[in-house]
Amino acid sequence: MDLPIDVAPDPYILILTGAGLLIALVAWLPLALRRLPLSLPIVCIVLGASIFSLPQMTLVPLPTTYPEITERFSEFVVIIALMGAGLKLDRIFSFRRWGITWRLIALTMPLSIGAITLIAGWWMGLSWTVALLLGAALAPTDPVLAADVQVGPPKSGEEDEVRFGLTSEAGMNDGFAFPFVHLAIALSLAASTGKPWFAEWITYNVLWEIGAGMAAGYFIGRVFGWLTFHVPAKTKLAKTGDGLIALSATFVSYGLTELIHCYGFLAVFVTALTFRHAHRDHDFQLEMHELTEQIERIAMMVLLLLFGGALVSGLLTPLHWIDVGAAVVILLVVRPLTGLIGLMGHKADWTERLTLAFFGIRGVGSVYYLAYGLNHMPDVEGGDRLWAIVGLIILISILMHGITVTPVMRMLDRSHGRDPDANQATPPPGLQGPASFPSDDRNSALR
């Protein structure tokens, strides 16, 4: 019997095959790249560019073509990453122990926003409202693409000052950058309507949305922590052994806080921290983190495949030469300089401070903030150019930080007497949380 070899493959079968290969890469590539000066995001972008360069591929994944999908998909990836980041932090929350975080949030990030705004307004010639939006979008360290410089899984002991600082910064700064995105939107609306903006911005976008977001995140985290670890033994959610509980907490936290109009990103991270604190030593913490990490990696790879496709579809075409120079300055001057200023006087040694200042990775969070801003600002001119600028900065950041992260972090580990090839590490003194329960007594201690 003759086979219909001239018939085009069923798209459904191609999608299944591609999904299977993608999941295999998610599972295998992190191990294969562990000691190489190469990162998973770099591989994803190359794969995406290759796939979308094929003549059979007719989809053009430009963010300007699909603005709503771009906003929502990047939003989904970020909230999953924020839950994963909060669950893997071993360090107990306190203002003193988290001093490095407050420096990066309260000093480095506002300085970065101001510097990028000045560069975009004076040097690149953008309007000041658009320049502010660009500054707010590019200032936060990304919680998704910064995985290689973040702490390890719960109770792994991979929580030195650099890894903790970058993880906690990535978790917190998404919520604290949002007021500046809303400020750009408010200024844009005021320019066209003449409506007063300052009182509403400071009371609603700053005080209410930050305060209510943190409070709601804490309350939801307490509820999920109690249901998971502290209700009677036969009904506690930890008995299920199902890490999907973490996904449930993510969606509930984000959904409920957005319903009351406060910052869902911030709420998700606070929920994760509170959930983690409910029982820091329980093995179920690791199961929840592993599930969120797997979902995050799959979603991240899909997004970066599309980003690679956007690059070969003309994402960077609207760039001016001045934009290229500005991108280099933002990554090599603005973030390192503001990072060092924010860390002045901190107890970390100079190598740690320099590493913290350098690895301010830009990525999926910047995509979300720019998409959100452009979707809510009226009549923004030059949207294609803005996407090109952000796309270029993300691309340079992924390449620059992805190539340097493995050798730099291994060198940092060795300089502090740690073996980067060790399978397990001991948590630093004072960071383990409550004393560990013997395995035989864990269930009885929770009753």
Side-chain angles (χ1 to χ4, degrees):
M1 185 175 76
D2 294 332
L3 296 176
I5 57 175
D6 57 333
V7 177
D10 186 342
Y12 172 72
I13 300 300
L14 290 177
I15 291 173
L16 284 182
T17 305
L21 292 172
L22 181 66
I23 293 171
L25 289 174
V26 166
W28 174 72
L29 272 177
L31 181 63
L33 300 174
R34 183 178 179 183
R35 300 184 183 182
L36 297 177
L38 195 65
S39 68
L40 180 61
I42 294 176
V43 176
C44 294
I45 291 173
V46 172
L47 285 174
S50 302
I51 292 170
F52 283 91
S53 295
L54 297 173
Q56 296 85 356
M57 185 60 69
T58 58
L59 176 66
V60 180
L62 290 171
T64 51
T65 307
Y66 305 98
E68 291 292 337
I69 294 176
T70 301
E71 179 185 338
R72 292 306 181 189
F73 187 39
S74 58
E75 177 183 43
F76 171 80
V77 180
V78 171
I79 62 173
I80 297 297
L82 290 171
M83 176 58 68
L87 287 175
K88 63 187 177 184
L89 282 170
D90 287 334
R91 186 173 302 194
I92 300 171
F93 180 84
S94 74
F95 286 98
R96 182 179 60 84
R97 290 173 183 254
W98 283 52
I100 195 168
T101 311
W102 309 130
R103 287 171 171 268
L104 292 170
I105 296 297
L107 297 175
T108 295
M109 193 180 69
L111 288 173
S112 296
I113 292 175
I116 296 171
T117 301
L118 290 175
I119 290 172
W122 277 344
W123 187 11
M124 300 167 66
L126 301 177
S127 70
W128 286 109
T129 53
V130 172
L132 178 60
L133 174 63
L134 193 64
L138 291 173
T141 295
D142 190 58
V144 182
L145 301 184
D148 290 335
V149 292
Q150 292 183 357
V151 301
K155 303 190 298 178
S156 67
E158 300 175 18
E159 190 164 302
D160 54 52
E161 200 70 6
V162 171
R163 290 181 172 90
F164 169 78
L166 291 170
T167 306
S168 57
E169 179 200 7
M172 284 286 192
N173 66 12
D174 277 298
F176 286 96
F178 227 145
F180 294 96
V181 175
H182 278 129
L183 178 58
I185 296 172
L187 291 173
S188 178
L189 292 171
S192 58
T193 64
K195 180 182 176 181
W197 58 270
F198 181 77
E200 181 179 352
W201 177 73
I202 198 70
T203 57
Y204 179 69
N205 296 125
V206 178
L207 298 178
W208 165 256
E209 294 198 285
I210 291 178
M214 296 182 72
Y218 176 77
F219 174 76
I220 295 168
R222 286 295 298 267
V223 171
F224 269 91
W226 181 77
L227 290 173
T228 303
F229 300 114
H230 298 296
V231 297
K234 292 184 179 180
T235 56
K236 64 167 64 84
L237 292 176
K239 283 285 187 179
T240 66
D242 195 337
L244 281 171
I245 299 301
L247 196 62
S248 170
T250 304
F251 294 158
V252 170
S253 178
Y254 192 76
L256 290 181
T257 50
E258 287 292 319
L259 285 175
I260 62 172
H261 302 288
C262 54
Y263 293 131
F265 284 175
L266 187 58
V268 169
F269 186 64
V270 173
T271 293
L273 292 177
T274 311
F275 203 172
R276 176 81 170 90
H277 186 68
H279 192 323
R280 309 184 70 82
D281 190 57
H282 203 289
D283 290 339
F284 191 56
Q285 298 280 0
L286 185 60
E287 294 168 9
M288 290 191 295
H289 170 262
E290 286 176 347
L291 182 94
T292 56
E293 186 178 44
Q294 289 167 351
I295 296 173
E296 176 193 341
R297 284 213 305 262
I298 292 174
M300 177 200 73
M301 290 186 72
V302 172
L303 191 145
L304 290 179
L305 289 173
L306 294 172
F307 179 62
L311 291 175
V312 298
S313 300
L315 177 65
L316 304 184
T317 302
L319 282 174
H320 303 168
W321 280 111
I322 196 172
D323 301 337
V324 178
V328 173
V329 170
I330 288 170
L331 288 173
L332 294 182
V333 178
V334 172
R335 165 63 191 201
L337 184 59
T338 58
L340 290 174
I341 292 173
L343 296 171
M344 287 178 62
H346 191 267
K347 65 180 180 179
D349 63 40
W350 71 269
T351 55
E352 291 176 321
R353 292 198 298 269
L354 192 59
T355 305
L356 280 160
F358 176 71
F359 282 108
I361 299 173
R362 277 39 180 160
V364 181
S366 297
V367 172
Y368 172 74
Y369 284 127
L370 182 60
Y372 181 91
L374 291 178
N375 289 343
H376 290 80
M377 291 173 67
D379 302 326
V380 177
E381 295 184 4
D384 290 351
R385 184 186 176 194
L386 289 177
W387 277 115
I389 294 166
V390 170
L392 177 65
I393 289 175
I394 292 173
L395 177 62
I396 296 174
S397 178
I398 289 174
L399 294 175
M400 179 177 69
H401 294 122
I403 291 171
T404 58
V405 62
T406 298
V408 168
M409 297 308 288
R410 288 172 68 85
M411 180 180 66
L412 188 69
D413 284 339
R414 290 193 180 98
S415 70
H416 289 81
R418 296 186 296 267
D419 182 3
D421 299 316
N423 291 326
Q424 293 183 351
T426 302
L431 304 185
Q432 300 97 321
S436 301
F437 294 108
S439 57
D440 294 337
D441 298 334
R442 178 176 289 123
N443 289 335
S444 61
L446 293 175
R447 292 191 181 100

